[in-house]
Short mmCIF file of all heavy atoms in Angstrom, two decimals:
data_model
loop_
_atom_site.label_atom_id
_atom_site.label_comp_id
_atom_site.label_asym_id
_atom_site.label_seq_id
_atom_site.Cartn_x
_atom_site.Cartn_y
_atom_site.Cartn_z
N THR Z 41 97.51 136.67 175.55
CA THR Z 41 97.62 137.81 176.49
C THR Z 41 96.45 137.89 177.48
O THR Z 41 96.34 138.88 178.20
CB THR Z 41 97.83 139.18 175.81
OG1 THR Z 41 96.62 139.61 175.18
CG2 THR Z 41 98.98 139.14 174.83
N SER Z 42 95.60 136.89 177.55
CA SER Z 42 94.56 136.88 178.59
C SER Z 42 95.13 136.19 179.82
O SER Z 42 96.15 135.50 179.76
CB SER Z 42 93.30 136.15 178.12
OG SER Z 42 93.57 134.78 177.93
N TYR Z 43 94.50 136.42 180.98
CA TYR Z 43 94.88 135.71 182.19
C TYR Z 43 93.62 135.39 182.98
O TYR Z 43 92.59 136.04 182.85
CB TYR Z 43 95.87 136.51 183.04
CG TYR Z 43 95.24 137.60 183.87
CD1 TYR Z 43 94.68 137.35 185.11
CD2 TYR Z 43 95.21 138.91 183.40
CE1 TYR Z 43 94.08 138.35 185.87
CE2 TYR Z 43 94.62 139.92 184.15
CZ TYR Z 43 94.05 139.64 185.38
OH TYR Z 43 93.48 140.64 186.11
N THR Z 44 93.74 134.39 183.83
CA THR Z 44 92.73 134.08 184.84
C THR Z 44 93.46 133.88 186.17
O THR Z 44 94.64 133.56 186.20
CB THR Z 44 91.94 132.80 184.50
OG1 THR Z 44 92.85 131.72 184.36
CG2 THR Z 44 91.13 132.97 183.22
N MET Z 45 92.72 134.11 187.24
CA MET Z 45 93.31 133.92 188.57
C MET Z 45 92.25 133.37 189.52
O MET Z 45 91.06 133.59 189.30
CB MET Z 45 93.87 135.24 189.13
CG MET Z 45 92.83 136.31 189.34
SD MET Z 45 93.50 137.88 189.86
CE MET Z 45 93.96 137.54 191.54
N GLU Z 46 92.72 132.65 190.53
CA GLU Z 46 91.81 132.08 191.53
C GLU Z 46 92.59 131.90 192.81
O GLU Z 46 93.73 131.45 192.79
CB GLU Z 46 91.24 130.76 191.05
CG GLU Z 46 90.18 130.21 191.95
CD GLU Z 46 89.50 128.97 191.35
OE1 GLU Z 46 89.77 128.64 190.19
OE2 GLU Z 46 88.73 128.36 192.08
N GLY Z 47 91.99 132.25 193.93
CA GLY Z 47 92.65 132.09 195.22
C GLY Z 47 91.82 132.64 196.35
O GLY Z 47 90.61 132.48 196.38
N PHE Z 48 92.50 133.33 197.32
CA PHE Z 48 91.77 133.87 198.46
C PHE Z 48 92.43 135.13 198.98
O PHE Z 48 93.59 135.41 198.73
CB PHE Z 48 91.65 132.82 199.57
CG PHE Z 48 92.97 132.45 200.20
CD1 PHE Z 48 93.48 133.17 201.27
CD2 PHE Z 48 93.69 131.36 199.75
CE1 PHE Z 48 94.68 132.82 201.86
CE2 PHE Z 48 94.89 130.99 200.33
CZ PHE Z 48 95.39 131.73 201.40
N TYR Z 49 91.66 135.88 199.77
CA TYR Z 49 92.08 137.03 200.50
C TYR Z 49 91.88 136.71 201.99
O TYR Z 49 90.88 136.10 202.34
CB TYR Z 49 91.24 138.26 200.12
CG TYR Z 49 91.36 139.42 201.06
CD1 TYR Z 49 92.45 140.27 201.00
CD2 TYR Z 49 90.39 139.65 202.02
CE1 TYR Z 49 92.56 141.34 201.87
CE2 TYR Z 49 90.50 140.73 202.90
CZ TYR Z 49 91.59 141.56 202.81
OH TYR Z 49 91.70 142.61 203.68
N TYR Z 50 92.82 137.15 202.83
CA TYR Z 50 92.70 136.91 204.26
C TYR Z 50 93.18 138.12 205.03
O TYR Z 50 94.20 138.75 204.69
CB TYR Z 50 93.52 135.69 204.70
CG TYR Z 50 93.47 135.47 206.19
CD1 TYR Z 50 92.36 134.88 206.80
CD2 TYR Z 50 94.50 135.90 207.02
CE1 TYR Z 50 92.29 134.71 208.18
CE2 TYR Z 50 94.43 135.75 208.39
CZ TYR Z 50 93.34 135.15 208.96
OH TYR Z 50 93.26 135.01 210.32
N SER Z 51 92.47 138.47 206.07
CA SER Z 51 92.87 139.49 207.02
C SER Z 51 92.49 139.01 208.41
O SER Z 51 91.38 138.50 208.58
CB SER Z 51 92.17 140.82 206.71
OG SER Z 51 92.43 141.74 207.75
N PRO Z 52 93.35 139.17 209.41
CA PRO Z 52 93.00 138.76 210.76
C PRO Z 52 91.72 139.44 211.27
O PRO Z 52 91.01 138.86 212.07
CB PRO Z 52 94.22 139.16 211.60
CG PRO Z 52 95.34 139.20 210.63
CD PRO Z 52 94.75 139.64 209.34
N SER Z 53 91.45 140.63 210.79
CA SER Z 53 90.24 141.30 211.25
C SER Z 53 88.98 140.59 210.75
O SER Z 53 87.93 140.64 211.41
CB SER Z 53 90.22 142.77 210.81
OG SER Z 53 90.20 142.86 209.40
N LEU Z 54 89.07 139.87 209.63
CA LEU Z 54 87.95 139.06 209.16
C LEU Z 54 87.91 137.72 209.86
O LEU Z 54 86.85 137.21 210.21
CB LEU Z 54 88.04 138.82 207.65
CG LEU Z 54 87.78 140.00 206.73
CD1 LEU Z 54 88.06 139.61 205.28
CD2 LEU Z 54 86.36 140.50 206.87
N GLY Z 55 89.09 137.10 209.98
CA GLY Z 55 89.19 135.80 210.65
C GLY Z 55 88.91 134.60 209.77
O GLY Z 55 88.87 133.49 210.27
N PHE Z 56 88.72 134.83 208.49
CA PHE Z 56 88.49 133.70 207.57
C PHE Z 56 88.95 134.10 206.16
O PHE Z 56 89.10 135.28 205.87
CB PHE Z 56 87.02 133.28 207.56
CG PHE Z 56 86.06 134.39 207.19
CD1 PHE Z 56 85.70 134.62 205.87
CD2 PHE Z 56 85.51 135.20 208.18
CE1 PHE Z 56 84.82 135.64 205.55
CE2 PHE Z 56 84.63 136.23 207.86
CZ PHE Z 56 84.29 136.45 206.54
N GLN Z 57 89.14 133.09 205.29
CA GLN Z 57 89.56 133.34 203.91
C GLN Z 57 88.34 133.68 203.05
O GLN Z 57 87.30 133.05 203.17
CB GLN Z 57 90.25 132.10 203.35
CG GLN Z 57 91.55 131.78 204.04
CD GLN Z 57 92.20 130.53 203.48
OE1 GLN Z 57 91.65 129.81 202.66
NE2 GLN Z 57 93.40 130.24 203.95
N VAL Z 58 88.53 134.66 202.17
CA VAL Z 58 87.47 135.07 201.24
C VAL Z 58 87.91 134.67 199.83
O VAL Z 58 88.98 135.09 199.37
CB VAL Z 58 87.26 136.61 201.29
CG1 VAL Z 58 86.21 137.02 200.27
CG2 VAL Z 58 86.88 137.04 202.69
N PRO Z 59 87.13 133.82 199.13
CA PRO Z 59 87.51 133.43 197.78
C PRO Z 59 87.60 134.63 196.83
O PRO Z 59 86.80 135.57 196.95
CB PRO Z 59 86.37 132.51 197.35
CG PRO Z 59 85.78 132.03 198.63
CD PRO Z 59 85.91 133.16 199.59
N VAL Z 60 88.59 134.60 195.94
CA VAL Z 60 88.74 135.62 194.91
C VAL Z 60 89.01 134.94 193.57
O VAL Z 60 89.56 133.84 193.51
CB VAL Z 60 89.91 136.60 195.21
CG1 VAL Z 60 89.66 137.35 196.49
CG2 VAL Z 60 91.25 135.91 195.25
N TYR Z 61 88.58 135.59 192.50
CA TYR Z 61 88.97 135.16 191.17
C TYR Z 61 88.96 136.38 190.27
O TYR Z 61 88.43 137.44 190.62
CB TYR Z 61 88.10 134.02 190.62
CG TYR Z 61 86.63 134.31 190.52
CD1 TYR Z 61 86.09 134.85 189.35
CD2 TYR Z 61 85.77 134.01 191.55
CE1 TYR Z 61 84.72 135.09 189.26
CE2 TYR Z 61 84.42 134.24 191.48
CZ TYR Z 61 83.90 134.77 190.31
OH TYR Z 61 82.56 135.02 190.22
N GLY Z 62 89.59 136.27 189.13
CA GLY Z 62 89.68 137.41 188.23
C GLY Z 62 90.10 137.01 186.84
O GLY Z 62 90.44 135.86 186.55
N GLU Z 63 90.08 138.02 185.97
CA GLU Z 63 90.46 137.82 184.58
C GLU Z 63 90.84 139.15 183.96
O GLU Z 63 90.50 140.22 184.50
CB GLU Z 63 89.29 137.21 183.80
CG GLU Z 63 88.04 138.03 183.86
CD GLU Z 63 86.85 137.32 183.25
OE1 GLU Z 63 86.82 136.07 183.24
OE2 GLU Z 63 85.95 138.02 182.79
N GLY Z 64 91.55 139.11 182.84
CA GLY Z 64 91.95 140.33 182.17
C GLY Z 64 93.02 140.06 181.15
O GLY Z 64 93.09 138.97 180.57
N GLN Z 65 93.90 141.05 180.96
CA GLN Z 65 94.96 140.99 179.95
C GLN Z 65 96.33 141.20 180.61
O GLN Z 65 96.41 141.86 181.65
CB GLN Z 65 94.75 142.08 178.89
CG GLN Z 65 93.45 141.97 178.13
CD GLN Z 65 93.32 140.71 177.32
OE1 GLN Z 65 92.34 140.00 177.45
NE2 GLN Z 65 94.30 140.39 176.51
N TRP Z 66 97.36 140.66 179.98
CA TRP Z 66 98.70 140.87 180.45
C TRP Z 66 99.61 141.20 179.27
O TRP Z 66 99.25 140.95 178.12
CB TRP Z 66 99.24 139.65 181.21
CG TRP Z 66 99.55 138.48 180.31
CD1 TRP Z 66 98.68 137.55 179.85
CD2 TRP Z 66 100.82 138.17 179.74
NE1 TRP Z 66 99.33 136.66 179.04
CE2 TRP Z 66 100.65 137.02 178.95
CE3 TRP Z 66 102.08 138.76 179.82
CZ2 TRP Z 66 101.70 136.43 178.24
CZ3 TRP Z 66 103.12 138.16 179.13
CH2 TRP Z 66 102.92 137.02 178.35
N GLY Z 67 100.76 141.79 179.55
CA GLY Z 67 101.73 142.08 178.51
C GLY Z 67 103.04 142.51 179.13
O GLY Z 67 103.15 142.70 180.36
N MET Z 68 104.04 142.67 178.33
CA MET Z 68 105.35 143.12 178.79
C MET Z 68 105.42 144.65 178.67
O MET Z 68 104.84 145.21 177.74
CB MET Z 68 106.47 142.48 177.97
CG MET Z 68 106.50 140.96 178.06
SD MET Z 68 106.69 140.30 179.73
CE MET Z 68 108.34 140.84 180.14
N THR Z 69 106.12 145.27 179.60
CA THR Z 69 106.30 146.73 179.56
C THR Z 69 107.72 147.07 179.97
O THR Z 69 108.35 146.33 180.73
CB THR Z 69 105.29 147.44 180.50
OG1 THR Z 69 105.52 148.85 180.43
CG2 THR Z 69 105.43 146.98 181.93
N ASN Z 70 108.22 148.19 179.47
CA ASN Z 70 109.52 148.71 179.91
C ASN Z 70 109.35 149.74 181.02
O ASN Z 70 110.29 150.39 181.42
CB ASN Z 70 110.28 149.33 178.73
CG ASN Z 70 110.83 148.27 177.81
OD1 ASN Z 70 111.30 147.23 178.27
ND2 ASN Z 70 110.77 148.51 176.51
N GLN Z 71 108.12 149.89 181.52
CA GLN Z 71 107.81 150.91 182.52
C GLN Z 71 107.78 150.36 183.95
O GLN Z 71 107.22 150.99 184.84
CB GLN Z 71 106.45 151.54 182.20
CG GLN Z 71 106.35 152.13 180.82
CD GLN Z 71 107.38 153.23 180.58
OE1 GLN Z 71 107.56 154.09 181.43
NE2 GLN Z 71 108.07 153.17 179.47
N GLY Z 72 108.37 149.20 184.17
CA GLY Z 72 108.43 148.63 185.52
C GLY Z 72 109.41 149.39 186.40
O GLY Z 72 110.18 150.24 185.92
N PRO Z 73 109.44 149.09 187.68
CA PRO Z 73 110.34 149.78 188.61
C PRO Z 73 111.81 149.65 188.23
O PRO Z 73 112.59 150.55 188.50
CB PRO Z 73 110.09 149.08 189.95
CG PRO Z 73 108.77 148.41 189.80
CD PRO Z 73 108.60 148.12 188.35
N SER Z 74 112.17 148.55 187.57
CA SER Z 74 113.56 148.32 187.14
C SER Z 74 113.64 148.15 185.63
O SER Z 74 114.56 147.54 185.13
CB SER Z 74 114.13 147.08 187.81
OG SER Z 74 114.03 147.18 189.20
N GLY Z 75 112.64 148.68 184.91
CA GLY Z 75 112.64 148.52 183.46
C GLY Z 75 111.65 147.45 183.04
O GLY Z 75 110.46 147.57 183.30
N LEU Z 76 112.15 146.38 182.41
CA LEU Z 76 111.29 145.32 181.89
C LEU Z 76 110.45 144.67 182.98
O LEU Z 76 110.96 144.31 184.04
CB LEU Z 76 112.13 144.25 181.19
CG LEU Z 76 111.35 143.13 180.49
CD1 LEU Z 76 110.53 143.70 179.34
CD2 LEU Z 76 112.30 142.06 180.00
N ALA Z 77 109.14 144.55 182.75
CA ALA Z 77 108.25 143.97 183.75
C ALA Z 77 107.03 143.37 183.05
O ALA Z 77 106.77 143.62 181.88
CB ALA Z 77 107.80 145.05 184.73
N VAL Z 78 106.29 142.56 183.80
CA VAL Z 78 105.02 142.00 183.35
C VAL Z 78 103.90 142.87 183.92
O VAL Z 78 103.82 143.07 185.12
CB VAL Z 78 104.84 140.53 183.83
CG1 VAL Z 78 103.51 139.98 183.37
CG2 VAL Z 78 105.99 139.66 183.35
N SER Z 79 103.07 143.40 183.03
CA SER Z 79 101.95 144.26 183.43
C SER Z 79 100.66 143.46 183.32
O SER Z 79 100.37 142.87 182.28
CB SER Z 79 101.89 145.48 182.52
OG SER Z 79 100.76 146.27 182.81
N ILE Z 80 99.88 143.45 184.39
CA ILE Z 80 98.64 142.68 184.46
C ILE Z 80 97.50 143.64 184.80
O ILE Z 80 97.60 144.39 185.77
CB ILE Z 80 98.76 141.57 185.52
CG1 ILE Z 80 99.89 140.61 185.12
CG2 ILE Z 80 97.44 140.84 185.71
CD1 ILE Z 80 100.36 139.71 186.22
N GLN Z 81 96.44 143.65 183.97
CA GLN Z 81 95.31 144.54 184.21
C GLN Z 81 94.02 143.79 183.95
O GLN Z 81 93.93 143.06 182.95
CB GLN Z 81 95.39 145.75 183.29
CG GLN Z 81 96.59 146.61 183.57
CD GLN Z 81 96.58 147.88 182.72
OE1 GLN Z 81 95.52 148.46 182.52
NE2 GLN Z 81 97.73 148.28 182.27
N GLY Z 82 93.06 143.99 184.79
CA GLY Z 82 91.77 143.32 184.60
C GLY Z 82 90.84 143.63 185.75
O GLY Z 82 90.84 144.73 186.30
#
Side-chain angles (χ1 to χ4, degrees):
T41 72
S42 67
Y43 79 84
T44 57
M45 63 185 287
E46 187 172 353
F48 66 88
Y49 165 79
Y50 176 79
S51 172
S53 63
L54 289 174
F56 57 90
Q57 294 179 354
V58 178
V60 299
Y61 59 90
E63 58 188 27
Q65 299 298 127
W66 72 276
M68 300 301 293
T69 180
N70 286 321
Q71 304 301 314
S74 304
L76 185 64
V78 178
S79 175
I80 299 164
Q81 296 185 39

